[in-house]
Amino acid sequence: MTIPEDIIERAYKGIATKEDALELLDVNPFELYALADDLRKEAVGDTVTYVTNRNIYITNMCKGSCGFCAFREGEGYILTIEEILEQVGQAEKAGAVEICIQGGYLPQLDLEYYNEIVRNIHTSYPNMTIHGFSPMEIHYASYLSGTPLEDSFSELKKNGLGTLTGTSAEILSDRVRKIICEDKITTDQWIETIKASHNVGLRTNATIMYGHVETWEERFDHILTVRDIQEETGAFTELITMPFMPYNNRIGEEMLRSGKFMTTGTEDLQLIAIARVLLNKHIDNLQACWVKLGKKLAQVALSCGANDMGGTLMEDQITLASGGSNGEYLPPEELEWIIRSAGRKPMRRNALYEEM
């Protein structure tokens, strides 16, 4: 089946629908990839971006009991400010321009702790971009302190937070969330939190973690929810599509017992391509997450609608804990080689997609 002309027309206008997306699942995948590649070229040209960054895990503990998480460990820790600053210093010496701060949500991690982190990093390393925390973490800390969300984000921004992550979205469907992360924030709470961060001038990325219990229709509803928010705030920098890693976690074990394995390469590329179709004229940047896809498939994704390779990721403990086998660090030289080998031009960026 070839792509109907009316779908192509809506894609170029930026008004593709969920029905269009569902129909694109049945077309020749290489025609779909070619359409997405053309839309990518029109939106951002032939430049492929990446960021030199380091993940810092401030804790390996979490109050949540998400069925997809394999990161929680028996012997828990919470990093001190001194330990965090030491890791930031190591990252700066290694050439990182961005720190991505990640963790769980705990009563001990209050707003003052988060503010102290960004305040100290910003003071000690003023040229380091701070990309950190999840909407879940800030929503929970704000609730515990009785602080309105916008006030919380305003304080974090004032103290040096550059951008908020768009994680903890998983799939924005309460049916799915009840199965995989019942005690996490609801779809409406995630939307409320993201909008609050955008309202005070913080930009965020958007993520989708797919390939577990959701349907294709729920995936597209998620992407269209992101598009709706973008039409209102204009503050999303990118969409990151992240296939679920089904190892060492409850949801994955149930999947594997049923005979279902992780997503296929075709499925990963279809989602990236259809995301480009749905988000055209709305969000320009789509990341091919090499630590999830592997370096080779991430390179192929650059011809299927993606235009960003993500970060060098000095340490990605979450993916490794879930059975990821693609490593946790990719040197900038190798990233640029992969990009050039795909016939594209590499550009080092920060979290705001500004050239560095």
Side-chain angles (χ1 to χ4, degrees):
M1 177 179 168
T2 59
I3 303 176
E5 287 298 323
D6 60 328
I7 292 182
I8 296 174
E9 183 178 346
R10 283 191 290 273
Y12 274 96
K13 289 181 177 178
I15 56 173
T17 66
K18 179 169 68 174
E19 290 70 30
D20 293 338
L22 290 167
E23 194 166 342
L24 288 172
L25 291 173
D26 295 324
V27 306
N28 181 322
F30 291 97
E31 285 192 31
L32 169 62
Y33 305 154
L35 171 61
D37 196 46
D38 288 343
L39 293 171
R40 181 271 313 160
K41 187 175 182 66
E42 182 181 86
V44 295
D46 287 330
T47 298
V48 173
T49 48
Y50 72 94
V51 60
T52 51
N53 64 349
R54 175 176 184 167
N55 286 338
I56 294 180
Y57 296 90
I58 57 177
T59 183
N60 64 346
M61 298 183 292
C62 185
K63 182 177 178 292
S65 56
C66 298
F68 56 82
C69 184
F71 185 54
R72 294 187 303 276
E73 298 178 6
E75 192 66 30
Y77 70 82
I78 297 175
L79 292 182
T80 65
I81 298 300
E82 291 72 23
E83 289 170 329
I84 293 170
L85 289 176
E86 181 181 357
Q87 292 191 27
V88 177
Q90 293 168 351
E92 185 181 63
K93 288 179 182 177
V97 300
E98 174 190 294
I99 289 297
C100 183
I101 305 170
Q102 302 192 55
Y105 66 101
L106 296 166
Q108 306 96 297
L109 306 184
D110 56 17
L111 283 173
E112 180 48 40
Y113 176 69
Y114 294 137
N115 277 296
E116 191 178 359
I117 290 173
V118 294
R119 188 186 306 116
N120 277 275
I121 294 175
H122 186 62
T123 300
S124 301
Y125 300 95
N127 295 323
M128 185 70 72
T129 298
I130 306 172
H131 176 62
F133 312 126
S134 71
M136 174 73 249
E137 291 173 80
I138 305 306
H139 185 279
Y140 182 68
S142 296
Y143 166 76
L144 288 180
S145 68
T147 305
L149 281 166
E150 289 193 10
D151 291 349
S152 299
F153 286 123
S154 292
E155 189 71 12
L156 285 163
K157 184 184 177 191
K158 183 180 76 174
N159 283 316
L161 182 63
T163 50
L164 179 76
T165 77
T167 56
S168 66
E170 325 315 348
I171 295 290
L172 295 173
S173 156
D174 285 335
R175 182 196 75 84
V176 173
R177 299 178 81 79
K178 187 172 183 180
I179 298 170
I180 68 171
C181 54
E182 187 172 16
D183 55 355
K184 218 166 192 177
I185 52 178
T186 65
T187 297
D188 285 345
Q189 287 171 331
W190 187 89
I191 293 169
E192 174 195 17
T193 307
I194 281 289
K195 285 184 178 180
S197 70
H198 291 180
N199 289 343
V200 302
L202 278 173
R203 300 193 69 187
T204 75
N205 55 30
T207 63
I208 177 171
M209 192 269 287
Y210 65 97
H212 35 87
V213 303
E214 85 292 348
T215 64
W216 272 103
E217 186 170 354
E218 285 167 329
R219 295 176 188 178
F220 298 147
D221 283 338
H222 177 113
I223 294 170
L224 289 169
T225 296
V226 168
R227 188 173 84 178
D228 289 343
I229 297 170
Q230 184 73 344
E231 287 181 336
E232 182 178 334
T233 70
F236 283 124
T237 57
E238 64 180 343
L239 175 71
I240 308 173
T241 58
M242 302 186 299
F244 171 58
M245 299 283 145
Y247 304 101
N248 305 323
N249 59 72
R250 175 174 57 81
I251 296 296
E253 288 168 0
E254 291 171 4
M255 277 177 49
L256 294 170
R257 280 197 299 270
S258 73
K260 181 181 177 183
F261 296 87
M262 62 192 304
T263 57
T264 65
T266 298
E267 190 176 353
D268 295 327
L269 296 177
Q270 281 179 307
L271 185 63
I272 288 170
I274 295 175
R276 173 63 70 181
V277 169
L278 290 174
L279 295 176
N280 189 41
K281 305 293 187 184
H282 301 278
I283 297 176
D284 287 341
N285 302 304
L286 265 66
Q287 184 182 128
C289 185
W290 66 265
V291 75
K292 303 287 189 183
L293 299 174
K295 293 181 283 189
K296 292 184 177 181
L297 189 61
Q299 185 189 47
V300 174
L302 299 179
S303 296
C304 303
N307 69 296
D308 181 75
M309 286 286 287
T312 53
L313 290 180
M314 304 169 196
E315 297 183 32
D316 184 16
Q317 298 174 15
I318 292 175
T319 298
L320 289 177
S322 298
S325 57
N326 296 307
E328 57 178 333
Y329 176 63
L330 197 56
E333 297 79 11
E334 186 174 359
L335 265 174
E336 293 203 0
W337 175 75
I338 290 169
I339 292 165
R340 288 195 181 96
S341 298
R344 303 291 165 77
K345 298 176 290 189
M347 186 188 89
R348 188 171 71 157
R349 63 165 177 87
N350 61 17
L352 296 176
Y353 277 79
E354 299 166 335
E355 185 172 5
M356 299 296 291

